Amino acid sequence: MRWTEKAKRLLWISLMACLCGMSFGCKGDGQVNPYIAQRVWELTSDDPVTVQAAIDFLLNQKPRNVVPALMENLDDMHPLAVRKVLIQDMRNSAAPIRRYEPEKVCDLIAALLHHVTGVSHGNIYNGASDTQRIKTIAAWQTWWSVNKQHYQ
């Protein structure tokens, strides 16, 4: 497999953020940092390396920095181009690596929210019916309305 320059750059940024403990999240005013928003947007890339780098980066950030951006995009029902991802809690090296096969953006974001918050509102991580997705999204939004102040 040949690494593109973009993939190398994204991997390098992810590695440096991990090693340096960098944190790019909410700016204290409840607004999502554009850098975090960019990484969430990269989850929709058709390049598996870009998607995995975005996942690894987001999981390495503090929950208060990532959750608002994930919640902002949770209702995205567009299909994903990359349908196989690996998720591991980057802060816990003993945690198992989990393989997911999400079908839509909301499936992947729900899996990330589960890993970041430890909360689950329905297992749509490997695809589900649209009815199940709508229920899960509604449950996350209810959770968010109660817990939002903890993530700002």
Side-chain angles (χ1 to χ4, degrees):
M1 176 173 88
R2 293 197 53 184
W3 287 73
T4 65
E5 288 305 311
K6 180 179 178 183
K8 287 179 188 176
R9 187 176 73 244
L10 290 172
L11 186 59
W12 178 252
I13 290 169
S14 295
L15 179 62
M16 288 297 99
C18 179
L19 293 175
C20 300
M22 294 170 66
S23 180
F24 306 93
C26 287
K27 299 184 267 184
D29 57 3
Q31 298 294 316
V32 173
N33 183 298
Y35 191 75
I36 290 286
Q38 172 67 28
R39 299 313 291 256
V40 172
W41 180 81
E42 289 172 359
L43 296 173
T44 64
S45 171
D46 59 357
D47 176 28
V49 175
T50 300
V51 172
Q52 193 61 56
I55 289 169
D56 294 343
F57 177 85
L58 292 168
L59 291 176
N60 190 51
Q61 300 303 303
K62 294 178 182 174
R64 69 176 177 85
N65 296 335
V66 175
V67 173
L70 293 173
M71 288 304 302
E72 201 171 88
N73 293 279
L74 179 62
D75 60 354
D76 187 342
M77 300 272 269
H78 288 93
L80 285 170
V82 174
R83 300 275 296 272
K84 294 180 181 173
V85 298
L86 300 175
I87 296 180
Q88 180 181 26
D89 183 349
M90 303 299 280
R91 295 170 299 242
N92 180 1
S93 60
I97 297 174
R98 300 194 188 278
R99 179 183 173 148
Y100 294 108
E101 296 186 17
E103 296 172 356
K104 296 188 178 186
V105 176
C106 60
D107 301 347
L108 178 54
I109 289 179
L112 293 172
L113 282 167
H114 169 68
H115 281 272
V116 171
T117 66
V119 176
S120 179
H121 292 292
N123 188 350
I124 62 171
Y125 319 138
N126 291 306
S129 69
D130 283 344
T131 303
Q132 289 173 304
R133 286 184 179 99
I134 290 167
K135 287 180 183 177
T136 298
I137 291 167
W140 272 111
Q141 289 171 336
T142 300
W143 174 88
W144 183 236
S145 67
V146 172
N147 293 285
K148 189 175 188 173
Q149 71 277 7
H150 300 296
Y151 294 92
Q152 294 184 353

